[in-house]
Amino acid sequence: DAKTTQPTSMDCAEGRAANLPCNHSTISGNEYVYWYRQIHSQGPQYIIHGLKNNETNEMASLIITEDRKSSTLILPHATLRDTAVYYCIVTPQGGSEKLVFGKGMKLTVNP
Amino acid sequence: DVKVTQSSRYLVKRTGEKVFLECVQDMDHENMFWYRQDPGLGLRLIYFSYDVKMKEKGDIPEGYSVSREKKERFSLILESASTNQTSMYLCASRRDVQPQHFGDGTRLSIL
């Protein structure tokens, strides 16, 4: 069972920041927060992951609350190509033997 | 960048056929995975492999087998294809405890 809760969908205007929330209130001390996205008809794409500190890479930023019960993925300047289903996953580092994706959240970036 | 290549994007086969799905990664990753993805059921792990000639069953191995003769290649075999194996098949690979990276998937239809 997925251990995260995400909104079903969200809209964002092109060029604006997209802030994607995720709740993971039962996260364990050794579990990381991972974000993947899946553009229609493609495989999941790894975005970013973190344990407790905020993380940033060329794709996005990840903000994890101090109690680690929730996090936010930030796409700083959303483009139409960011339209996808975004999955927030909590799992031990590396994803153990398998990844369990919940229903995810559909982000639609509008012109 | 990590590159996971699946041999076919779309494949149509007939019931009872033996079907081979190929996956190749170019990053010398030890770990490779086969999942299937179905609407409403999410991602389900079929088999994974920690090293050459090693394999482990995932959650739904029935009707499937795998082969890992070389480190870069992980093959999924449907011994006798059935209509309930119509699905999107995703291959992933990973080094150590790094994130899993996915191929673009093979959409397989069994008629």
Side-chain angles (χ1 to χ4, degrees), chain A residues 34 36 89 91 94-101, chain B residues 35 43 100 102:
Chain A
Y34 284 79
Y36 281 79
I89 304 163
T91 188
S96 188
E97 289 85 17
K98 67 180 179 183
L99 293 177
V100 178
F101 284 24
Chain B
Y35 295 86
L43 219 57
Q100 292 186 31
F102 288 82

Side-chain angles (χ1 to χ4, degrees), chain B residues 9-10 13 21 25 34 44-45 61 66 75 107-108:
Chain B
R9 291 297 306 276
Y10 301 93
K13 296 291 183 180
L21 302 183
Q25 48 91 8
W34 275 107
R44 292 182 290 168
L45 181 66
V66 290
S75 302
R107 191 168 292 280
L108 175 64

